[in-house]
Amino acid sequence: MNIKSLLLGSAAALVAVTGARAADMIVPMEEPAEYVRVCDVYGTGFHYIPGTETCLSINGYVRFKYAVAGPIEGDFGDNFLRNAEGDDYQAGSQVRVRLNFDAREETELGTLRAAARIQANNTFGAYSNDADYRMDYGFIQLGGLTMGYLDSLFTEDDGLLTDSDLPIGDIQTNRVSYTFAAAGLNATIGLEDDGSGDFAPNVVAKLGYTGGFGGFNLYGVYEESVGQGGGVFGSPAFTRGTAASSSRTGFIDVNGNGVFNPGIDTPVLTSTSATAASSTFGVLTDSDADAFVLKGNASLKDIIAADSELKFEGSYAFDPSNYSTIGLFNNASTVGNNTDPFFGDVPVEWMVGAGYAQAFGKLGVAVAGVYGETFDNFTFNTVAPFSLVNTGNADFYKLVGNVGYEITSNFDMLAEVSYTSLDNDGQNGFRDNEFDQTAGFVQFVRSF
């Protein structure tokens, strides 16, 4: 045997022994990768949280808005709106960032859900004007039971079809409610925190139906304790059963009966940069602290044309109530947000409105309008005996129109303009005075 044969034989033997030992070794297997699975039980956008049967959706948008608020002028030269340079209008930009979280899973008691929204809005975004994120809503649902902080049941499915949707009682609150739903019909009863500190809540009921033609909703609310309002034309500032504070026009309820008694109670006269008048709509004049409001709406889809919707809404309040208010006037930071920083949310006795929306592919147009009447406006005499004087109620109307366009997938723009009129009916020597304003905005929204 030559040396070459010996070397080859030795190498072969070594390889055989090494292979046998390798076959005896335990090689750990890699963990199988767990991919995020799509959850199509609740619609698009949901995915299973790995290792659970909980489906989670995260979505939101970034919005850039530029708004212009025109003068708020009265018949006698009053002007309630100025910018930093003294002009009788305001213009400015605003950015909103919104994030929505929605977690759902099926249980033996029905769908268990938790939903939350946080958002940040900067106002007049100049000179490093950062904004904090705040909770816009957060609630839990199990079957038909809902509890948390969200829109009042009285405002669910209400409002007209423009971006400024002109709702009555556009408020959020802590609430507990239960909904029974069957064959398109839904009935809900809710208890809502009134902030009074007692055990009794506000009680809200809603009955609705949704079908191929559209749907309708009927609402009723019993407000157990009407809270104090603010602003010149704010929600009830003279409340039954609650004394006003020195920060607003009102009175100190010396004898504690909730009624202004000339010669006994002390009036609190305040003025603002907007006006020196000390008055408010919706003075409550008896010892009862409660209120009752009714509302209804109806929606008709594709009746006039394909991809169209026609909606009607109306309300009536038996007493001034926080659930029967509307924001009418704006500055540049509130245009399109249904808020009124000048006169406060005006307490409405009755209101009717209608809206129409029509889509043409990527293009959409909408118009809406409301007309109504406020509760009486009262003011204090500024001289003895400081009695309350009824200066009359007010008629109001607001018209809104907009045009929207889908620039590309998940990127839209909207331009909207509105006109507002509030006509105070002077009584007892006070003058009739009408205030009006034109305002509008353009916005761009990137959704995700």
Side-chain angles (χ1 to χ4, degrees):
M1 179 181 294
N2 56 28
I3 294 177
K4 180 177 179 181
S5 299
L6 181 61
L7 290 176
L8 289 173
S10 299
L14 181 61
V15 170
V17 172
T18 304
R21 289 182 177 177
D24 293 337
M25 293 178 62
I26 299 175
V27 179
M29 298 181 63
E30 293 185 3
E31 292 284 341
E34 185 171 4
Y35 297 98
V36 176
R37 296 175 294 149
V38 173
C39 174
D40 57 6
V41 178
Y42 308 109
T44 60
F46 283 88
H47 294 80
Y48 285 101
I49 298 175
T52 74
E53 292 302 313
T54 299
C55 298
L56 177 66
S57 171
I58 302 175
N59 58 63
Y61 66 71
V62 177
R63 184 187 74 186
F64 177 84
K65 174 189 282 189
Y66 190 83
V68 178
I72 305 175
E73 296 179 324
D75 290 338
F76 304 99
D78 306 314
N79 196 299
F80 291 81
L81 182 63
R82 298 284 181 184
N83 62 25
E85 297 184 356
D87 303 313
D88 61 354
Y89 70 90
Q90 286 187 4
S93 60
Q94 181 189 85
V95 172
R96 170 185 286 177
V97 180
R98 171 178 288 182
L99 294 173
N100 302 312
F101 303 87
D102 192 344
R104 308 185 196 185
E105 63 183 283
E106 292 305 307
T107 74
E108 65 276 11
L109 299 177
T111 302
L112 176 61
R113 181 187 183 195
R117 171 183 290 169
I118 58 172
Q119 64 184 27
N121 295 281
N122 74 350
T123 304
F124 298 120
Y127 310 116
S128 301
N129 186 17
D130 296 340
D132 295 328
Y133 280 91
R134 299 179 182 274
M135 177 183 69
D136 188 56
Y137 65 64
F139 62 89
I140 302 168
Q141 288 181 327
L142 178 59
L145 179 67
T146 298
M147 61 184 73
Y149 176 74
L150 66 164
D151 285 344
S152 165
L153 178 61
F154 197 69
T155 68
E156 282 191 359
D157 304 314
D158 76 341
L160 301 176
L161 302 173
T162 47
D163 192 74
S164 305
D165 55 350
L166 310 176
I168 279 288
D170 188 22
I171 59 177
Q172 292 177 293
T173 182
N174 288 356
R175 86 178 212 215
V176 177
S177 60
Y178 187 83
T179 300
F180 172 80
L185 186 69
N186 61 84
T188 307
I189 185 74
L191 303 178
E192 302 189 350
D193 196 335
D194 63 4
S196 65
D198 64 8
F199 286 110
N202 298 329
V203 181
V204 187
K206 174 177 176 281
L207 177 66
Y209 177 79
T210 302
F213 70 93
F216 68 84
N217 296 285
L218 301 174
Y219 309 78
V221 57
Y222 172 74
E223 186 172 11
E224 184 269 337
S225 180
V226 180
Q228 294 180 351
V232 181
F233 298 122
S235 54
F238 308 111
T239 61
R240 297 171 289 190
T242 308
S245 71
S246 59
S247 63
R248 61 172 66 84
T249 303
F251 64 92
I252 298 174
D253 193 8
V254 175
N255 60 7
N257 67 351
V259 181
F260 177 72
N261 301 116
I264 300 176
D265 297 329
T266 304
V268 177
L269 305 177
T270 62
S271 62
T272 68
S273 58
T275 177
S278 298
S279 61
T280 181
F281 281 106
V283 174
L284 305 172
T285 56
D286 59 58
S287 59
D288 248 344
D290 54 2
F292 187 65
V293 187
L294 296 174
K295 181 171 65 175
N297 60 45
S299 174
L300 303 174
K301 295 185 177 180
D302 301 329
I303 297 297
I304 297 178
D307 300 321
S308 71
E309 183 175 0
L310 178 64
K311 192 171 185 180
F312 302 95
E313 187 160 298
S315 66
Y316 182 82
F318 294 86
D319 307 283
S321 168
N322 292 293
Y323 288 87
S324 184
T325 61
I326 188 171
L328 294 175
F329 296 96
N330 299 105
N331 59 25
S333 65
T334 64
V335 172
N337 293 334
N338 296 314
T339 56
D340 185 343
F342 298 99
F343 298 108
D345 289 341
V346 175
V348 175
E349 184 172 9
W350 62 266
M351 189 181 83
V352 293
Y356 180 76
Q358 178 69 61
F360 304 94
K362 292 186 174 184
L363 180 70
V365 296
V367 292
V370 294
Y371 176 79
E373 186 175 288
T374 72
F375 283 93
D376 287 342
N377 178 30
F378 286 75
T379 188
F380 277 114
N381 280 334
T382 55
V383 295
F386 303 114
S387 58
L388 283 171
V389 179
N390 187 341
T391 65
N393 59 11
D395 299 324
F396 65 88
Y397 66 90
K398 186 163 187 172
L399 305 174
V400 185
N402 66 36
V403 177
Y405 184 73
E406 182 185 2
I407 299 172
T408 187
S409 178
N410 298 319
F411 186 43
D412 308 289
M413 64 84 60
L414 180 74
E416 184 169 281
V417 64
S418 64
Y419 176 78
T420 303
S421 173
L422 177 77
D423 188 358
N424 190 31
D425 178 21
Q427 295 181 15
N428 297 317
F430 289 83
R431 297 177 299 182
D432 185 318
N433 197 3
E434 181 179 6
F435 307 90
D436 62 358
Q437 182 189 39
T438 301
F441 65 86
V442 60
Q443 68 181 27
F444 297 85
V445 179
R446 198 306 188 191
S447 304
F448 56 89

